[in-house]
Amino acid sequence: MATRRNLILGAVLMGVGGPGQHHTWLDPEIPGDASVDIRWYIARAQQAEAAKFDHVFIVDSQFITPDSPHHYLNRLEPLTLLSAVAVHTSHIGLVGTLTTSYNDPFNVARRLASLDLISGGRAGWNVVATGDGGTAGNYGRQEHYDYATRYGRALEHVRVVQSLWDSYEDDAFPRNKESGVFFDKTRQHPLNHVGEHFSVAGPLNIERSPQGQPVIFQAGDSDEGRDLGASIGDAIFTHAATVEQGRAFRDDMRARAAAKGRDLLIVPGISPIIADTDEEAREKERALVGGKDFARALKELGRPFGWHDFTVYDLDAPFPELGDAGDRSFKTQAEKIKRLARENNYTLRQVVQHSIDAQRSPFTGSALTVANEIQRWFEAGAFDGINLTITVPSEFARFTDEVLPILRERGIARTEYDATTLRGNLGLPVPENVHTRDRRSALVS
Amino acid sequence: MATRRNLILGAVLMGVGGPGQHHTWLDPEIPGDASVDIRWYIARAQQAEAAKFDHVFIVDSQFITPDSPHHYLNRLEPLTLLSAVAVHTSHIGLVGTLTTSYNDPFNVARRLASLDLISGGRAGWNVVATGDGGTAGNYGRQEHYDYATRYGRALEHVRVVQSLWDSYEDDAFPRNKESGVFFDKTRQHPLNHVGEHFSVAGPLNIERSPQGQPVIFQAGDSDEGRDLGASIGDAIFTHAATVEQGRAFRDDMRARAAAKGRDLLIVPGISPIIADTDEEAREKERALVGGKDFARALKELGRPFGWHDFTVYDLDAPFPELGDAGDRSFKTQAEKIKRLARENNYTLRQVVQHSIDAQRSPFTGSALTVANEIQRWFEAGAFDGINLTITVPSEFARFTDEVLPILRERGIARTEYDATTLRGNLGLPVPENVHTRDRRSALVS
């Protein structure tokens, strides 16, 4: 990873309305059914690929109520979606979210390995342990796994999946029509894993792709989440409000990874607001943030507290004392909100207003200003790249057509793809098959 | 279904080597890595679509040993595969195999509904309860579910999935940009299912497709299998050796379905062998069947007996007494083989030879002979259509270019698609959403 020169560029593909983007479906450029229209996703991926982005990124959720945000209500399953995108693109990486809490490792390994082969080595897995506790009810459980169990399962799950991906060594299938040799049995390896959370015999029924194994993405800001990311993540999806916070997070994550003999890439989500001048961009931001619905923000505040209903409180009284009862789905986020209220003596109204204001983007301005700011963060070590979250196509085009050329000229963004695999473009090596490695070691010693 | 005029045409898409086709990978037309090459599947689906086939069909397996048949060892996951095929085709149905034994209903419902939307209403689900007992080890179980449990799970699983597919009524998403109404909460319905095998809260997070719900395919020849098919199947995948057996099976299945107020389509797999003359076709068949490996047939005989090892017996002694111990994976098939040996006093060698001979196709001859035979079976009520299993592209073309024109001229095969959905082409109605129906009934009464 020492040879990395380029800013990593990811695009978070959404249909209608991400968190805080309740009204995007009203935009004339966004079809009302974008979240379930595969043509929309293919076109967005092609737009990102034309700009030489490293990857597209598909988030997910599986707990639905009548009051869920628009894009929760009705959306395509991430890997089914990405397989269709794979065969209409050629270079861009395809990162899909799958939970380790409510999927079997054998199925996850198979589906991601299939996407990896279909795309010629462009698959990535965004590992989540599922935040929304209500998901449990869709999978035969009365209650969501507790926090420690979720992270314990996640670590073991990913290890099992990665081991399944090594079921066949790279030379397992000679497929030599002249000699008549299709398969070399000595290059197939069962797993026979028996662990705390999973027992999986293996082998998997699919060979490795040109990139060896899919790339692992992970997010999670708690101590447990950071340790999991340091253990398994090739790249970490995060948020960063300031360059100092970004650098502190990256330093911490790289130190945790280094302690395990690893390195990783930090790629926060950012939503630039670009206009002809800085003043126009700030005006655009005010219009966007001003359009936010206070009532909806009050409802969304409940999510980190297990969709707690905040409408029952007096808005101008101090932020309610919620105690520590029950397992919360988004532990770190909930603790941050409580700390914010406590340290500033905020009322509930002030906490909600803060959550609205926090959606202001530090990357707001003219193309030159946004390019300068991205360069500053990148060179300060606040991130290795960005996951761009801009849903409106013409706004996305402002980034690719106005900001990127500046970053290209400065040698920060790529002008051409380095490889046809996601690992190749991210500068990550192809992991050697563990069984091949073991045999090589045995030969040397 | 009374208006059906056309023979249903399905194509079973294989990569290298299906059962009894161990050597297909040596064919110069079939790439050695066909089973994991998405371009192969897309090209085969396009070939079938050009001939106006109703659907392509993807089988599956998840238990792998060093001695597994070639196409078991290394293959793409069916739905990931079909999603890629969906966006390179426009009319042909996409039927994928998923097991009810080792998948959660919520995941299955989501993935199939996603494929259904991506394809514009062309998805089908081949419901299997998993035959190979060894699959259990890949999913954390010491032993495979017993026979009754597998079928009980399958029935409840499919019912839950179908109920999840009705989570949203067809008018749930007005998405009216002028009035600002995205979603009508009253048209979303949770499930709150608590059953013997599954508990699923719902609702699902995906709307219905233009065909309402994916089409259900099912196979299974035992009494339990037939009852399951009669309860849930829109179409039954089977095998038929003679027109009399075919008609008896279809009559039985339609009677079982009628007792439940249903109807269904019978679509056996067939592998025609076509040449310029009947004599040349029989010669071609002798070469194919003669090329079968006795040792491999002996091994494959073990499969219905839980991969029992028959190599330990004297080939020329009477067929071994296997008793009734343990749950067998392919109960009906095993019973048939035992009955065959008992009634004919066959040796083990004779049973193996019979299994080789049984792979001779009743559809062997010139194009005219094969067309006549297909018409005879169809008009005798032995099937509603066929799942064509021909892997070599030029042999498939002999069927589409020589046999089909004859059937088209006789008005048995279609010349153009009737619809863009699988249900539309199969002549199946769009199922009304149960909640819409319930509300309509309440209004009337």
Side-chain angles (χ1 to χ4, degrees):
Chain A
M1 231 172 291
T3 61
R4 154 153 302 286
R5 306 166 311 273
N6 293 326
L7 182 77
I8 295 166
L9 290 170
V12 179
L13 302 192
M14 306 285 288
V16 293
Q21 303 193 311
H22 185 61
H23 296 293
T24 52
W25 77 276
L26 291 169
D27 191 288
E29 285 186 52
I30 302 179
D33 62 353
S35 303
V36 289
D37 183 352
I38 195 64
R39 295 166 302 181
W40 165 262
Y41 287 100
I42 289 172
R44 300 282 67 73
Q46 289 174 336
Q47 185 182 20
E49 185 170 71
K52 318 298 178 194
F53 271 51
D54 290 85
H55 61 269
V56 296
F57 194 102
I58 307 291
V59 298
D60 197 27
S61 59
Q62 300 193 77
F63 171 53
I64 306 100
T65 72
D67 297 315
S68 291
H70 288 165
H71 72 309
Y72 279 42
L73 291 171
N74 189 11
R75 66 181 351 164
L76 297 173
E77 190 280 323
L79 260 63
T80 316
L81 186 168
L82 286 173
S83 183
V85 171
V87 290
H88 281 288
T89 51
S90 57
H91 287 73
I92 199 163
L94 307 162
V95 184
T97 299
L98 281 182
T99 175
T100 53
S101 292
Y102 301 108
N103 279 297
D104 278 294
F106 197 85
N107 271 332
V108 169
R110 242 194 126 186
R111 294 174 61 202
L112 280 159
S114 295
L115 178 65
D116 210 22
L117 278 178
I118 286 171
S119 63
R122 295 186 281 136
W125 175 18
N126 179 39
V127 176
V128 298
T130 295
D132 287 321
T135 307
N138 291 329
Y139 290 95
R141 288 183 59 88
Q142 297 269 323
E143 287 189 11
H144 197 25
Y145 296 107
D146 67 32
Y147 207 80
T149 304
R150 284 215 300 283
Y151 278 92
R153 277 178 68 95
L155 180 62
E156 188 182 333
H157 194 296
V158 174
R159 297 272 189 242
V160 168
V161 167
Q162 290 178 314
S163 300
L164 286 169
W165 284 336
D166 274 357
S167 291
Y168 292 111
E169 297 184 58
D170 292 335
D171 54 357
F173 294 97
R175 295 187 274 239
N176 186 322
K177 294 198 183 195
E178 282 171 31
S179 64
V181 178
F182 180 79
F183 171 51
D184 179 352
K185 291 183 191 189
T186 67
R187 299 295 191 259
Q188 181 198 61
H189 303 278
L191 187 58
N192 296 321
H193 170 85
V194 179
E196 188 183 345
H197 304 285
F198 304 104
S199 298
V200 182
L204 194 66
N205 54 357
I206 188 159
E207 68 181 270
R208 282 158 47 107
S209 87
Q211 71 172 350
Q213 294 193 350
V215 175
I216 305 290
F217 282 68
Q218 193 264 356
D221 199 22
S222 67
D223 203 51
E224 295 93 330
R226 290 187 187 204
D227 267 343
L228 177 66
S231 297
I232 60 154
D234 296 309
I236 305 295
F237 189 35
T238 181
H239 297 276
T242 66
V243 70
E244 293 72 25
Q245 282 179 26
R247 191 157 62 184
F249 179 76
R250 183 164 176 270
D251 287 348
D252 176 65
M253 286 303 294
R254 295 190 72 205
R256 287 177 193 246
K260 299 170 196 285
R262 305 184 71 253
D263 198 1
L264 38 68
L265 302 164
I266 305 297
V267 192
I270 74 166
S271 301
I273 296 171
I274 305 155
D276 289 346
T277 66
D278 289 355
E279 181 45 43
E280 281 177 45
R282 279 190 295 270
E283 187 53 45
K284 204 162 156 179
E285 183 181 49
R286 272 190 293 273
L288 276 172
V289 175
K292 287 278 152 54
D293 186 329
F294 189 91
R296 175 153 287 269
L298 182 66
K299 184 180 289 175
E300 285 179 1
L301 183 68
R303 191 185 185 205
F305 301 92
W307 292 106
H308 184 75
D309 179 9
F310 280 100
T311 63
V312 300
Y313 302 106
D314 178 357
L315 281 170
D316 296 306
F319 188 76
E321 186 54 60
L322 294 170
D324 211 27
D327 176 56
R328 284 181 300 280
S329 304
F330 295 80
K331 185 175 155 184
T332 308
Q333 207 176 322
E335 292 303 332
K336 268 190 184 165
I337 293 167
K338 287 164 65 176
R339 189 164 357 106
L340 173 87
R342 193 170 57 241
E343 289 176 1
N344 297 284
N345 285 319
Y346 275 171
T347 62
L348 175 57
R349 185 189 302 280
Q350 284 170 314
V351 169
V352 174
Q353 191 55 48
H354 183 272
S355 79
I356 293 173
D357 293 345
Q359 285 170 14
R360 290 182 196 278
S361 171
F363 301 91
T364 296
S366 69
L368 183 63
T369 297
V370 170
N372 285 342
E373 196 63 7
I374 288 173
Q375 181 174 7
R376 185 171 79 88
W377 286 52
F378 183 54
E379 293 181 346
F383 54 55
D384 297 290
I386 54 177
N387 276 307
L388 199 68
T389 308
I390 302 182
T391 305
V392 178
S394 65
E395 298 291 335
F396 192 90
R398 290 205 78 147
F399 182 83
T400 59
D401 299 351
E402 299 175 31
V403 177
L404 269 191
I406 301 171
L407 294 172
R408 285 199 194 107
E409 208 180 328
R410 296 176 184 175
I412 291 167
R414 70 159 59 87
T415 51
E416 281 305 329
Y417 279 109
D418 304 302
T420 58
T421 66
L422 179 54
R423 281 186 189 276
N425 285 313
L426 293 179
L428 300 171
V430 173
E432 188 175 19
N433 183 293
V434 292
H435 306 288
T436 311
R437 190 194 61 207
D438 290 350
R439 204 179 39 253
R440 260 196 324 110
S441 311
L443 283 176
V444 171
S445 62
Chain B
M1 233 175 292
T3 61
R4 156 153 300 285
R5 307 166 310 272
N6 293 325
L7 183 77
I8 294 167
L9 290 170
V12 179
L13 302 193
M14 304 285 288
V16 294
Q21 302 192 313
H22 185 62
H23 296 291
T24 51
W25 77 276
L26 291 170
D27 191 288
E29 286 186 52
I30 302 179
D33 62 354
S35 302
V36 289
D37 183 353
I38 194 65
R39 293 166 304 182
W40 167 261
Y41 287 100
I42 289 171
R44 299 283 66 74
Q46 289 174 336
Q47 186 182 19
E49 186 170 71
K52 318 296 179 198
F53 272 52
D54 292 84
H55 61 269
V56 296
F57 194 100
I58 306 293
V59 298
D60 197 28
S61 60
Q62 298 194 79
F63 171 52
I64 307 101
T65 73
D67 298 315
S68 290
H70 288 165
H71 73 307
Y72 279 41
L73 292 169
N74 189 12
R75 67 181 351 163
L76 298 173
E77 190 281 322
L79 261 62
T80 317
L81 186 167
L82 287 172
S83 183
V85 171
V87 288
H88 281 287
T89 52
S90 58
H91 286 72
I92 197 163
L94 308 161
V95 184
T97 300
L98 280 183
T99 175
T100 53
S101 292
Y102 300 109
N103 279 298
D104 279 293
F106 197 84
N107 271 331
V108 168
R110 243 195 123 183
R111 294 174 61 201
L112 280 159
S114 296
L115 177 65
D116 209 22
L117 278 178
I118 286 170
S119 63
R122 294 186 282 135
W125 175 19
N126 179 38
V127 177
V128 298
T130 294
D132 287 321
T135 307
N138 291 329
Y139 291 95
R141 289 183 58 88
Q142 298 268 322
E143 288 188 11
H144 197 25
Y145 297 107
D146 66 31
Y147 207 81
T149 304
R150 284 215 299 285
Y151 279 91
R153 277 178 67 95
L155 180 61
E156 186 182 334
H157 194 296
V158 174
R159 296 272 189 244
V160 167
V161 166
Q162 290 178 314
S163 300
L164 285 170
W165 284 336
D166 275 356
S167 292
Y168 292 111
E169 296 184 60
D170 292 336
D171 55 357
F173 294 97
R175 294 187 275 240
N176 186 323
K177 294 199 185 199
E178 282 171 32
S179 63
V181 177
F182 181 79
F183 171 52
D184 178 352
K185 291 182 191 192
T186 67
R187 298 298 190 257
Q188 182 199 61
H189 303 277
L191 187 58
N192 296 321
H193 170 85
V194 179
E196 186 183 346
H197 304 285
F198 303 104
S199 298
V200 181
L204 194 66
N205 54 357
I206 187 160
E207 69 180 89
R208 281 158 48 109
S209 87
Q211 72 172 347
Q213 295 193 350
V215 175
I216 305 290
F217 281 69
Q218 193 264 355
D221 200 22
S222 67
D223 203 52
E224 294 92 331
R226 289 187 188 205
D227 267 342
L228 177 65
S231 298
I232 60 156
D234 296 307
I236 306 296
F237 188 36
T238 181
H239 297 275
T242 66
V243 70
E244 292 73 25
Q245 282 179 27
R247 191 158 60 186
F249 180 77
R250 183 165 175 272
D251 287 349
D252 176 65
M253 286 304 294
R254 294 189 75 204
R256 289 177 193 244
K260 299 171 197 288
R262 305 184 71 250
D263 197 1
L264 38 68
L265 302 163
I266 305 297
V267 192
I270 75 166
S271 302
I273 296 172
I274 306 153
D276 289 347
T277 66
D278 289 355
E279 181 46 43
E280 280 177 47
R282 280 190 295 271
E283 189 54 45
K284 203 163 156 180
E285 182 181 49
R286 273 190 291 274
L288 276 172
V289 175
K292 287 278 152 54
D293 186 329
F294 188 90
R296 175 152 288 269
L298 185 64
K299 182 180 291 171
E300 285 179 0
L301 184 67
R303 191 184 186 204
F305 302 92
W307 291 108
H308 185 73
D309 179 11
F310 279 101
T311 64
V312 301
Y313 302 105
D314 179 358
L315 281 170
D316 295 307
F319 189 76
E321 186 53 63
L322 294 170
D324 212 26
D327 176 57
R328 285 178 302 280
S329 303
F330 296 82
K331 184 174 159 184
T332 309
Q333 208 176 325
E335 293 302 332
K336 268 190 184 166
I337 293 167
K338 286 163 67 175
R339 190 169 349 111
L340 172 87
R342 194 170 56 240
E343 290 176 0
N344 298 282
N345 284 319
Y346 275 170
T347 61
L348 176 56
R349 186 189 304 279
Q350 284 170 313
V351 169
V352 174
Q353 191 56 49
H354 183 274
S355 78
I356 292 173
D357 294 344
Q359 286 170 13
R360 289 182 197 280
S361 172
F363 302 90
T364 296
S366 69
L368 183 61
T369 298
V370 170
N372 285 341
E373 197 63 8
I374 288 173
Q375 182 175 8
R376 186 171 77 89
W377 287 52
F378 183 56
E379 292 180 347
F383 54 56
D384 297 289
I386 53 176
N387 276 307
L388 199 69
T389 307
I390 302 181
T391 305
V392 178
S394 65
E395 298 292 334
F396 192 92
R398 289 205 79 145
F399 182 85
T400 58
D401 300 351
E402 300 175 31
V403 177
L404 269 190
I406 300 170
L407 294 172
R408 284 198 193 107
E409 208 178 331
R410 295 175 184 174
I412 291 167
R414 70 158 60 88
T415 51
E416 283 305 329
Y417 279 108
D418 304 302
T420 59
T421 66
L422 178 54
R423 282 187 188 275
N425 285 313
L426 293 178
L428 300 172
V430 173
E432 186 175 22
N433 182 296
V434 291
H435 306 287
T436 310
R437 190 194 60 207
D438 290 350
R439 204 179 39 254
R440 258 194 328 107
S441 312
L443 283 176
V444 172
S445 63

